[in-house]
Amino acid sequence: MGATAFLTVFGRGQTPQARALWWFPVVGAGLGAVLAAVHWGAGELWPLLIVGILVVAADLVLTGGLHLDGLADSADGLLPHMERDRRLAVMARPDVGAFAVAAVVVVVAVRWAALSVDGIESLALIPIWAFSRTLVAVIPAIVPYARPGGLAAPFLDGAQLWLALWLAPAVAALVLIAGVSGAVAAGVMVVASGGVVALAWRRLGGFTGDVLGAVIMVAETAALLTLVADP
């Protein structure tokens, strides 16, 4: 299944197909379920600070760090002042700059801290991870692709706006698990991902595979922060 190859370390080498987008929410829910099990199981054995880092590490292992790499490349390409063509070239390079390092450190630290807070529900990770992958499945139906022949190109024909319907069960699950905070977290995920995409659209002329990875990381991190907020 192309979705697992694109979103996880499993199935690498498969030829991506357009219908893979249909499975993004399912793969996201599966990843969230594994991480929820890690969060709950680790909580029975270790202090919360250890639990948080174990979940972050498990997520990086399962995804091969692909989304974190997308965040780093997006930070280097979108945040500095430069011409559009130069941005795409920078994002394609294997090295990282100061913006990438800063973004990765901040996001990883925030995720670790949020997952280490007492009281966060392990089950909430399932709809959050499903929600983030649903968002990136919908983006190609709305926003133009900025890099012809890039990593996301094989999926574009499968982009359908109706995939947004997958957001409804994710929101319902978040509300069931976390109440009002869950509903707010879903809204924050949409706003945060919209901000990343809007910046990419303005500075690149659309999205890239790296931008989709950044959307996943930023949206999930924003949701975790919302759930552990203490108003």
Side-chain angles (χ1 to χ4, degrees):
M1 183 167 58
T4 57
F6 189 78
L7 298 173
T8 74
V9 296
F10 305 105
R12 292 289 171 87
Q14 293 184 15
T15 301
Q17 298 179 354
R19 66 173 181 271
L21 284 174
W22 307 349
W23 293 95
F24 273 34
V26 177
V27 173
L31 286 169
V34 174
L35 296 177
V38 172
H39 187 269
W40 176 83
E44 298 294 309
L45 299 172
W46 291 290
L48 291 173
L49 286 177
I50 302 298
V51 173
I53 196 62
L54 286 176
V55 176
V56 170
D59 183 47
L60 292 176
V61 169
L62 290 171
T63 61
L66 180 64
H67 311 322
L68 192 64
D69 180 68
L71 173 69
D73 288 341
S74 296
D76 272 344
L78 297 178
L79 299 182
H81 294 288
M82 62 182 77
E83 297 297 323
R84 177 178 294 181
D85 290 343
R86 176 63 176 159
R87 294 182 189 281
L88 289 171
V90 167
M91 292 171 70
R93 288 164 49 182
D95 57 337
V96 296
F99 287 94
V101 172
V104 167
V105 168
V106 169
V107 167
V108 169
V110 170
R111 289 162 80 93
W112 177 13
L115 289 164
S116 301
V117 171
D118 187 20
I120 187 171
E121 293 288 342
S122 300
L123 289 176
L125 302 184
I126 301 175
I128 289 174
W129 262 244
F131 197 103
S132 66
R133 271 69 180 180
T134 305
L135 289 173
V136 301
V138 173
I139 288 170
I142 305 171
V143 182
Y145 192 43
R147 192 195 298 277
L151 185 62
F155 301 130
L156 298 185
D157 290 340
Q160 301 286 338
L161 192 57
W162 66 263
L163 284 168
L165 294 174
W166 278 101
L167 296 173
V171 173
L174 265 174
V175 172
L176 183 64
I177 294 167
V180 175
S181 293
V184 175
V188 168
M189 291 181 77
V190 173
V191 172
S193 63
V196 174
V197 173
L199 181 63
W201 201 341
R202 178 180 177 182
R203 297 193 170 180
L204 300 177
F207 75 95
T208 67
D210 286 326
V211 171
L212 296 184
V215 165
I216 289 174
M217 297 299 295
V218 170
E220 290 169 357
T221 305
L224 292 173
L225 271 179
T226 304
L227 292 183
V228 300
D230 187 15

